[in-house]
Amino acid sequence: MTAEPRGDLSEAEAAEAGPRLWLVATPIGNLEDMSFRAIRVLKEVDAIACEDTRVTRSLLEHFDIPAKQVFACHEHNEAASAAGIVKLIEDGKSVALVSDAGAPAVSDPGYRVVRAVLDAGLEVSAVPGPSAVLAALTVSGLPTDRFTFIGFGPRKPGKRKRWLEAFADDPSTIVLMESPQRLAETLADALAVLGDRRAAVALELTKKFERVHRGRLSELIERYAEPPRGEATVVVEGAKTRREKVNKYAPDGGKKAR
């Protein structure tokens, strides 16, 4: 018995029809990474929600996407924007959500919008594409079978060390983002908390001056003593063995009797 054909392209397109929220990934640097599908969806939707309207309008102009309703949806107004997006979709409109670069809702605004749309019983679809996280991970030379993306860390050293401590025993490769001004401090904290593991720092991914430096954390700290240009994506080797848990508040410092 042979399987029935799944249908032609028109049926596939029909599955995407109807009001919904589209999560559209956009280039992280090189505009040639914009997908045909992303361009088509942005042309077809009724409205586009974005982090910065100036950045998005420039992108639309570059790809000759007709002007339409474009409005801001960023970390400061995401709750209010989510309600407006839900109303548009309930009224039969399709809305695209984009960030300034990469995939929306991944270390960028979007989660609250997605949650609000789903809670309203409406459709959400994704147009995957460029991702600094995956780009850095795949070129790092570190294991890619399991990884943990932890985003941007706290700004204060004490909180940042406690944040890293939560992943100290994780065997998965760790991926995080950092600003150039705090890169050296974060690498130093990672060395103090995680040990001198293998790591990679990726800067200006997909751009003309893309560079990726690999080595031990101690080596990378020296390289980035001065802030580099561009936001960094940092990839750190996972734990090879689990450390013994120590209760530092115990009378004997948590040391076992020998």
Side-chain angles (χ1 to χ4, degrees):
M1 181 176 179
T2 58
E4 291 294 324
R6 296 183 62 181
D8 57 19
L9 182 61
S10 62
E11 290 178 332
E13 291 175 337
E16 296 183 349
R20 68 187 60 221
L21 173 69
W22 286 100
L23 304 173
V24 182
T26 55
I28 59 176
N30 193 321
L31 290 175
E32 292 181 358
D33 291 335
M34 188 76 167
S35 73
F36 290 117
R37 187 174 179 228
I39 294 172
R40 175 179 63 79
V41 168
L42 291 179
K43 286 182 176 180
E44 292 176 352
V45 295
D46 301 291
I48 300 174
C50 57
E51 276 190 274
D52 188 323
T53 57
R54 294 166 298 180
V55 172
T56 298
R57 288 192 186 281
S58 178
L59 181 74
L60 299 179
E61 182 178 345
H62 179 85
F63 289 104
D64 196 26
I65 297 172
K68 59 186 65 189
Q69 183 180 359
V70 177
F71 58 92
C73 178
H74 46 68
E75 60 179 335
H76 302 297
N77 75 342
E78 189 176 356
S81 294
I85 290 170
V86 168
K87 180 64 167 58
L88 284 170
I89 299 173
E90 287 177 336
D91 289 344
K93 307 291 186 181
S94 281
V95 181
L97 176 65
V98 301
S99 60
D100 288 346
V106 179
S107 200
D108 281 322
Y111 166 73
R112 291 185 180 88
V113 175
V114 173
R115 191 66 263 166
V117 172
L118 292 175
D119 287 346
L122 303 170
E123 295 291 326
V124 177
S125 296
V127 181
S131 165
V133 175
L134 294 180
L137 174 66
T138 53
V139 302
S140 69
L142 296 171
T144 58
D145 56 333
R146 289 189 299 176
F147 71 94
T148 301
F149 174 58
I150 60 178
F152 284 91
R155 298 187 178 212
K156 295 184 178 180
K159 290 184 178 180
R160 190 164 54 233
K161 285 183 178 179
R162 289 193 292 273
W163 172 68
L164 289 168
E165 184 71 33
F167 306 99
D169 293 325
D170 191 341
S172 305
T173 300
I174 300 169
V175 185
L176 61 95
M177 314 288 281
E178 191 51 279
S179 70
Q181 292 76 22
R182 290 191 298 275
L183 178 58
E185 294 178 5
T186 296
L187 291 173
D189 287 343
L191 174 62
V193 173
L194 307 176
D196 202 9
R197 299 185 187 182
R198 293 184 299 163
V201 174
L203 297 158
E204 305 279 33
L205 282 168
T206 77
K207 299 179 182 178
K208 181 178 180 180
F209 298 106
E210 171 182 305
R211 54 210 186 278
V212 181
H213 296 124
R214 306 167 184 86
R216 294 283 174 179
L217 284 168
S218 58
E219 298 168 340
L220 294 172
I221 291 170
E222 293 183 14
R223 179 179 286 275
Y224 294 110
E226 294 296 325
R229 180 178 179 180
E231 284 192 351
T233 306
V234 182
V235 187
V236 183
E237 182 178 30
K240 291 185 180 298
T241 57
R242 293 185 66 84
R243 299 175 303 167
E244 181 181 345
K245 296 292 185 181
V246 175
N247 181 2
K248 61 182 179 181
Y249 300 107
D252 61 352
K255 297 178 181 178
K256 292 183 177 180
R258 297 185 181 277

